Amino acid sequence: MENRVVGMLAAFFFIVLFAVGVSYFFEIDSRRSEYNQAKSLLESNQTGIANKQSQLDALRIQYDATREVVERNSGLSDAKSRLTREIAELKAAKEKLVSDFAGEVIKVRSGSEGADLGVITLATGQGLQAAKIQKVTEDDVTFTHSLGVTKVAPENLPADLRQKFRHDMVPFTLLKPGAEPTPVASLPAAETAPSPTAALSKVNRIQVEIDQKQNQIAQLEQVRSQWLSKAGQLRSQASMAQFNGRPTYTFNAQAAQCEQNAAQASQQTLSIKNEIARLQADLSNAAAGR
């Protein structure tokens, strides 16, 4: 009887221990499954973070390239504004020079009234004895002479008087809206200093050359901007190719070539700006009669 009780107790303890062991085994298996799920979720999140980081790096490259273009264009806009202001000042100086020149010619016309010229020969071949200038107007010149009074049209004046009174010549042709300046008559051989007319012709020529070079700068800036934009696009494509595990050499090489082309355009622009600075110095000298 006693042995049976001991056996039953032993069997009971064995069953209890077996049940506890089985329960512990299932608990461990459940925790292992949760661990594997958490590990898989963590790896998935890490992969997503890596993808977002690659996209962020590509966007940062685009941002840096765009910011560089904006900063360069801002500097170019300032330079363009400065050059535009200088050109406006030079044009104003040119207009003042033309106006002053016209004022001096008018003074010469007024101061010539009453001048004794002696014998003069008109372009028509007619000769005037004891000729004096009575009045100079925009349309004609009135002379008194030994036979009376004669009005002479500007085109019939002697060459020296046409040059002196400048009817239908610079500076008055420059004061007419839309009028083209007339060719400047050459100075006599004995004359050493340039005439105001020659100075005006030189001013006009230099100003035209400056305007042409300004147009060249604008075209080069447009070309440079296009090359930089193309380089930025290629850099972005290289970043995306790297992210996708594809080769990036071709994209980077093409981008480098685009950037080199943009640098060459910048060098050409700088060279033209130096030429403009030289021309502006020449323009100032020409306006001052030097």
Side-chain angles (χ1 to χ4, degrees), residues 33 215 226 276:
S33 177
N215 292 333
Q226 292 174 351
I276 289 177

Side-chain angles (χ1 to χ4, degrees), residues 18 54 78 92 109 120 167 225 230:
F18 179 78
S54 298
D78 294 340
R109 291 178 178 179
I120 62 172
H167 290 92
S225 177
K230 182 64 175 178

Side-chain angles (χ1 to χ4, degrees), residues 111-287:
S112 298
E113 295 178 359
D116 190 352
L117 303 180
V119 179
I120 62 172
T121 301
L122 303 179
T124 58
Q126 179 184 0
L128 301 179
Q129 303 290 331
K132 290 184 179 181
I133 298 176
Q134 184 180 64
K135 188 176 182 180
V136 180
T137 67
E138 189 64 32
D139 299 322
D140 53 45
V141 178
T142 303
F143 294 94
T144 61
H145 51 93
S146 59
L147 298 179
V149 178
T150 300
K151 286 186 177 182
V152 180
E155 62 271 17
N156 293 328
L157 290 172
D160 58 338
L161 293 182
R162 285 202 308 272
Q163 180 71 15
K164 183 177 183 180
F165 297 145
R166 311 201 65 76
H167 290 92
D168 294 326
M169 298 173 64
V170 174
F172 299 104
T173 52
L174 294 177
L175 295 174
K176 298 177 181 178
E180 293 293 333
T182 56
V184 180
S186 59
L187 291 171
E191 198 72 38
T192 57
S195 69
T197 301
L200 277 174
S201 177
K202 186 175 182 180
V203 165
N204 293 336
R205 178 179 56 80
I206 295 175
Q207 185 61 60
V208 169
E209 192 171 353
I210 289 176
D211 292 340
Q212 292 175 347
K213 292 189 179 300
Q214 289 288 350
N215 292 333
Q216 292 178 5
I217 288 178
Q219 294 174 357
L220 284 171
E221 290 301 339
Q222 185 177 3
V223 170
R224 175 180 171 276
S225 177
Q226 292 174 351
W227 281 123
L228 288 176
S229 177
K230 182 64 175 178
Q233 294 174 1
L234 289 170
R235 294 293 186 192
S236 298
Q237 292 176 3
S239 298
M240 295 303 297
Q242 183 179 10
F243 171 72
N244 294 323
R246 294 187 287 106
T248 62
Y249 174 78
T250 301
F251 292 120
N252 288 328
Q254 291 177 352
Q257 183 61 49
C258 291
E259 291 167 351
Q260 183 178 358
N261 293 340
Q264 291 177 354
S266 297
Q267 292 177 354
Q268 293 176 0
T269 299
L270 180 60
S271 176
I272 294 176
K273 287 181 178 179
N274 292 334
E275 293 180 12
I276 289 177
R278 177 184 58 79
L279 289 171
Q280 288 174 341
D282 294 342
L283 185 63
S284 298
N285 293 333

